[in-house]
Amino acid sequence: MAELAPYAVVEANSRGRRVAESPPVARGEFQRDRDRIVHCTAFRRLEYKTQVFVNHEGDLFRTRLTHSIEVAQITRSIARALRLNEDLAEAVALAHDLGHTPFGHAGQDALHACMKDFGGFEHNLQSLRTVDVLEESYAEFNGLNLMHETREGILKHCSSKNAALLGDIGQRFIDGRQPSLEAQLANLADEIAYNNHDVDDGLRSGLITLEQLDAVPIFRRNREAVEAAYPGLAGRRLIHETIRRMINMMAVDLIEQTRANIAAAGVASLDDVHAAPRLVAYSDGMLPELRVLKTFLREGLYHHFQVLRMTDKARRIIQDLFGAFMNDPRLLPPQYQQMARNDKPRAIADYVAGMTDRYAMREHRRLFAVGEIH
Ligand code: MG
């Protein structure tokens, strides 16, 4: 591996772990973080959580697990090109959605509405809560006891009210400082992954078509380039060849613009990164392309009536579950009843957020299907 850039996060400039541990053997501290994430329960649950399509709708659609793996792949490639800390960047990418509710954004919005009088619910904050508090695997601490920079990368955004409650990890939002380049990168790689795989899944589902995608210049130009190089290519190969070119175009644009930003800002250390404006960015030419693509996906796919029917049902499942547990916390499993003694709404939100799609549906049936009492 090439030597890391002077502004990369390394163990020597890290703020370390909250609970001191002996150093790992035969791997680095950030590798250990990545490994802990892969081994945690919340990570396995991602396999059964919706990205856009509900988990049981088809075996080939992205789930939150395969989404996270794609984010990690893109993050890692760009991190290497920029000589950043790949292990840290990968750890952040793999953990970024650990706090996501079942049923994708509809689930998050529904749980946030349920929690509006109790501090709200935000999946990003919940990802941090998962690795800091909720995972119960280690003898000496709650959570995964990750390195400061991994936790900082997971907490992408945060209101100043929440930042004040979070202590050292929230301080940068109060001071207006940027996280590491590794964290900035994982954030944008998330976007590259979903903007592209949602096109792929949208086409696979038949909810959007190749003809409609002609309205998206970055897609059309790449499709035309593929057809010019391979006349007659059609179907899955045409789609995949087009999408791989889009991913590459976005990643290369990000690498080049970020290099230019780092040079222009004269960044030479991690401290400089924290003090500088956001450096990981697309070029001015790429931004409008992405805006058109995002608008297309929102209007054509995320707001497609068949997707909205699914998300509307999901919203009701979350509301029903939350309401039933608020009404009678004795319906919660014992471990959450215990937590509910300190903070009932938060314990319920933790329980509901941890559910997979199918577990939430099963739990809903158990509580509400009056025809089947058992
Ligand atoms: Mg994501």
Side-chain angles (χ1 to χ4, degrees):
M1 196 159 66
E3 205 186 319
L4 294 186
Y7 36 78
V9 173
V10 289
E11 287 178 22
N13 62 22
S14 165
R15 292 171 64 182
R17 302 183 190 278
R18 293 200 288 181
V19 179
E21 294 186 57
S22 47
V25 178
R27 56 179 174 167
E29 295 283 10
F30 292 102
Q31 281 177 283
R32 174 147 77 174
D33 277 10
R34 187 264 328 274
D35 299 346
R36 283 185 182 177
I37 291 159
V38 168
H39 285 275
C40 80
T41 311
F43 187 71
R44 286 192 298 283
R45 287 182 177 146
L46 297 176
E47 184 174 2
Y48 299 102
K49 290 190 178 197
T50 293
Q51 184 65 27
V52 172
F53 295 91
V54 178
N55 191 254
H56 59 268
E57 287 189 309
D59 291 346
L60 294 178
F61 296 124
R62 268 68 174 188
T63 66
R64 223 158 259 290
L65 179 66
T66 57
H67 160 71
S68 298
I69 293 170
E70 290 183 30
V71 176
Q73 178 275 311
I74 294 167
T75 300
R76 200 162 179 134
S77 294
I78 300 176
R80 187 175 300 188
L82 293 172
R83 293 193 297 131
L84 300 176
N85 184 330
E86 282 179 54
D87 297 322
L88 166 60
E90 183 184 19
V92 172
L94 290 172
H96 85 283
D97 271 349
L98 288 179
H100 226 295
T101 59
F103 309 122
H105 284 279
Q108 131 92 30
D109 293 346
L111 195 52
H112 182 59
C114 294
M115 287 291 288
K116 71 177 187 306
D117 295 332
F118 314 109
F121 178 88
E122 213 278 298
H123 78 262
N124 186 228
L125 208 54
Q126 190 71 6
S127 294
L128 184 67
R129 185 168 162 76
T130 303
V131 300
D132 275 359
V133 181
L134 295 177
E135 279 289 320
E136 295 181 317
S137 302
Y138 296 90
E140 296 187 4
F141 43 79
N142 287 333
L144 306 181
N145 194 37
L146 300 178
M147 298 287 274
H148 178 88
E149 294 72 19
T150 309
R151 298 170 57 233
E152 172 195 75
I154 292 171
L155 192 64
K156 284 190 279 202
H157 36 76
C158 182
S159 67
S160 42
K161 196 168 133 230
N162 281 331
L165 299 172
L166 286 170
D168 65 342
I169 204 75
Q171 194 58 40
R172 77 173 178 84
F173 296 96
I174 296 163
D175 301 340
R177 287 162 70 81
Q178 298 299 329
S180 68
L181 293 172
E182 288 83 353
Q184 295 180 36
L185 163 58
N187 191 7
L188 286 186
D190 183 22
E191 250 185 61
I192 296 180
Y194 68 69
N195 280 330
N196 285 287
H197 67 47
D198 287 352
V199 170
D200 187 51
D201 280 352
L203 286 167
R204 187 184 295 281
S205 69
L207 298 186
I208 57 175
T209 62
L210 279 174
E211 293 67 40
Q212 289 172 325
L213 274 160
D214 273 348
V216 180
I218 194 171
F219 186 91
R220 194 187 60 236
R221 280 203 315 278
N222 280 293
R223 178 183 58 73
E224 286 169 353
V226 173
E227 284 172 340
Y230 305 100
L233 197 72
R236 292 298 319 159
R237 283 181 202 252
L238 173 63
I239 293 167
H240 186 76
E241 284 288 346
T242 304
I243 290 174
R244 68 182 277 240
R245 279 166 174 74
M246 288 208 297
I247 295 175
N248 197 57
M249 196 175 261
M250 291 174 199
V252 170
D253 183 88
L254 198 68
I255 291 166
E256 286 172 356
Q257 187 60 47
T258 302
R259 275 190 190 134
N261 291 347
I262 291 170
V267 164
S269 69
L270 183 57
D271 275 341
D272 291 348
V273 170
H274 291 313
R278 220 155 243 269
L279 295 166
V280 179
Y282 296 109
S283 68
D284 288 345
M286 181 57 79
L287 288 169
E289 302 267 14
L290 294 176
R291 263 199 300 277
V292 176
L293 175 58
K294 275 170 184 268
T295 305
F296 173 85
L297 284 170
R298 190 173 56 245
E299 290 169 2
L301 184 62
Y302 311 144
H303 291 173
H304 191 286
F305 83 97
Q306 277 174 263
V307 174
L308 289 180
R309 283 182 182 189
M310 181 277 284
T311 55
D312 188 58
K313 218 185 285 180
R315 184 176 52 74
R316 265 177 284 133
I317 292 175
I318 300 281
Q319 280 169 351
D320 287 350
L321 291 176
F322 189 87
F325 296 130
M326 278 299 273
N327 203 28
D328 189 352
R330 291 173 309 171
L331 302 179
L332 287 165
Q335 165 204 0
Y336 289 94
Q337 283 189 38
Q338 188 72 33
M339 288 160 68
R341 281 187 202 116
N342 297 325
D343 185 341
K344 183 169 79 165
R346 188 58 57 190
I348 296 170
D350 286 340
Y351 181 45
V352 173
M355 293 178 185
T356 61
D357 293 359
R358 60 186 186 176
Y359 184 91
M361 289 187 282
R362 210 181 301 145
E363 193 74 334
H364 192 267
R365 271 198 305 278
R366 281 190 203 116
L367 289 166
F368 292 95
V370 287
E372 22 175 308
I373 294 179
H374 47 75

